[in-house]
Amino acid sequence: MSANPLTKAEFELAGNAVSIRHFTRRFGETTVLRNLNLDIAPGEFVALLGHSGSGKSTLLRALAGLDTVEEGQIDRPSAVSVVFQEHRLLPWKNVTDNVTLGLDGKEWNAQAEAILHEVGLGHRLEAWPLTLSGGEAQRAALARALIREPKLLMLDEPFAALDALTRLRMQKLVLDLWKRHDCAVLLVTHDVDEALALADRALVLERGEIRTEVEIPLTRPRRHADPVFEALRERLLHALGVTS
Amino acid sequence: MVELVMNLFPARTASHQLSLSIGGLLRFCRRYLSVALVLVLWQAGAQAGLIPSRLLASPVQIVHTAWSLTLDHTLPQNLLVSLGRAGAGLVLGIAVGVALALVAGLSRVGEDIVDAPMQMARTLPALALVPLFILWFGIGELPKILLVALGVKFPVYLNLYKGIRSIDPKLIELAKTLGLSRWKIIRDIIIPGALPDLLVGIRFAVGISWLMLVVAEQVNADSGIGHMMMDAEDFLRTDIILVGLAVYAVLGLLSDQIVRLAEGRLLTWRGRTAVQGGTR
Ligand SMILES: Nc1ncnc2c1ncn2[C@@H]1O[C@H](COP(=O)(O)OP(=O)(O)OP(=O)(O)O)[C@@H](O)[C@H]1O
Ligand SMILES: [Mg+2]
């Protein structure tokens, strides 16, 4: 109608990787997400905190395109990837074939090999998923997400099932990958320390809305002993209803 | 999932494994020892005149008869005919069972149309249909092949359908986030995910195919192992009947072994697994 060359979606995104406006999600009578607004800048690392059942995964599913958006508007890049709490590797395909799942053409194999080396799985290219350790499987899932060069990478409690040591190692890996691949990241986590160690910004989802938003202006790698870190942590814990 | 992985890789200590293999060896010997003992007693009883050969031929006699039946081509010819029927019936039955399971497993409409009749029909003893099949299809090859196919279709259908339905919906969800088309979801996730169950179904199917064939060939046939046995009955040749039985037994064992071998080949990703349950 007008001479504006931008499509509606591009206009709404206006420099953001993700833009959510007035998004509401109901399951029958219960409203899980209510009139939610959220912008994520390109290359920004955002952590999403919240109690169990607060709707974190629901928001992620909508962003991933697994749910139809009925109320409100979600604009997101077409290249998005998700890593779930469980690795969700196909047990009947070896690691490389899992990483290239859905990508046609032999040329992807070299790509998969490179990215598997990058996540530290270069020695298990041909392995069956059932023979991988929990951490290795999650690395393969990360490789599968990254080979598509997503503009937005979503991680739904990807390390929750891992032991503390492996989790620390995976956090460092995610930071490295994020810097190298230059994508926006939305990390869902229960762990306040994890959010503070990784993200540029932490959000707390509560009763269907983002009630608390905390910028984390610290340089990485971050030290837990840092007084700023301590203060932010108090704020987030307080927002989550944990008082010490 | 965690449970599955634990089942696949049971933690075994070395000593546990050792005692297991020694125990296994002992059991192996015991099992075959008893078989050998029965054979020896049987032979001794026959030679002492305690077992009349009119009722039961002796083991030595059976081996001898099998050899002469092989030399005069009776056994190989009939065996070939039986194998042909079982093979044709198996192929047909597996094809129909797979097709029906795919229809029922991949669409709600298909499920409503196919599954209920199949669940009802499977309670019907297939062998009770023999008279009807003879009426409909005469006494040629067709009714025998169809009868085998009929029996084979059910375990294939039931197991594959169950396999398709029990695929982890999380994997399908993942495929959607990766943008896989419906066809690719079927090819890369549903089919390989249901393959273990399909193979269990086929193992049952192979066993059933021999059962159906025995009956079909004994009721009406002028060739095949079953016919050879019925013929022998008229002349009180228990040795030939027992040769037929032995052939069926060997065929059953062999075909089961072949399917297991195929399982090992096709399901390498599972590692070493315990025997899975199935639906007959
Ligand atoms: N398909 C569904 N049908 C009905 N209710 C649902 C459905 N999916 C989620 N819910 C409900 O929506 C609410 C939010 O669920 P969601 O999975 O988003 O929580 P979460 O914040 O991810 O929790 P957790 O931290 O435990 O993973 C829960 O109360 C859940 O019961
Ligand atoms: Mg969740």
Side-chain angles (χ1 to χ4, degrees), chain A residues 7 13 15 21 26 37 53-54 64 69 73 80-81 87 99 146-147 153 155 160 171 177 197-198 206 210 214 216 230:
Chain A
T7 65
L13 270 172
R21 290 283 171 273
R26 302 170 212 273
N37 295 299
S54 58
V69 177
Q73 191 183 347
V80 296
S81 291
H87 54 74
V99 170
L146 286 173
I147 194 172
L153 174 64
L155 309 164
Q171 287 172 2
L177 292 170
L198 300 179
E206 205 188 331
I210 294 169
V214 176
I216 308 165
E230 268 301 327

Side-chain angles (χ1 to χ4, degrees), chain A residues 61 66 82 84 86 88-93 101-102 104 128 130-131 144 148, chain B residues 1 5 8-9 170-171 173-174 176-178 180 184 188-189 192-193 268-269:
Chain A
R61 288 174 52 85
L66 289 169
V82 192
F84 299 93
E86 332 82 32
R88 303 201 187 179
L89 298 171
L90 304 181
W92 44 86
K93 286 185 180 286
L101 183 65
D104 292 318
W128 296 115
L130 287 177
T131 66
R144 179 180 58 195
R148 287 143 199 280
Chain B
M1 196 60 208
V5 176
L8 301 189
F9 299 101
K170 287 180 172 175
L171 292 183
E173 199 179 89
L174 165 89
K176 285 185 182 153
T177 69
L178 297 180
L180 263 68
K184 275 191 185 162
D188 288 340
I189 298 183
T268 41
W269 55 268

Side-chain angles (χ1 to χ4, degrees), chain B residues 53-73:
Chain B
S53 68
R54 191 168 52 81
L55 295 182
L56 195 62
S58 72
V60 172
Q61 177 66 43
I62 293 168
V63 172
H64 189 255
T65 307
W67 183 238
S68 59
L69 283 174
T70 309
L71 286 185
D72 72 2
H73 300 300

